[in-house]
Amino acid sequence: MKRKIAVAALTLALAGSAAACGDGGSTGAATQAHGPITVWYSNNAEEVTWAKQMVAAWNTAHADQKITGQ
C-alpha cells in the first residue's frame, strides 16, 4: 500500500513538473518584451545598500533598459 502511494505521489509530481515547464508559445514574446522594470527590496539595511548599487550599475550598463528600485 505504501509503495502504491509513493508511486502515485511521484507520478503526480512528475506530471506537475512537466506541465509547469511547458512553454505555451510565449517564450518568443517574452524575450522581445520591453517596458518599465521596477525591483522591490526589503527594508533590511544591507539589502537596501546592495539594491541601490545594483540598480545604479544596471542603469549605467544598460542605458536603454533603465530600472527603478523601491
Side-chain angles (χ1 to χ4, degrees), residues 8-65:
L10 179 60
T11 302
L12 286 174
L14 291 174
S17 295
C21 292
D23 141 352
S26 65
T27 303
T31 59
Q32 299 301 316
H34 293 279
I37 303 169
T38 303
V39 294
W40 287 272
Y41 42 86
S42 75
N43 58 359
N44 174 294
E46 287 99 13
E47 186 173 346
V48 171
T49 301
W50 170 83
K52 287 181 179 181
Q53 291 172 352
M54 185 275 306
V55 167
W58 175 273
N59 288 337
T60 299
H62 303 90
D64 61 331
Q65 300 175 25

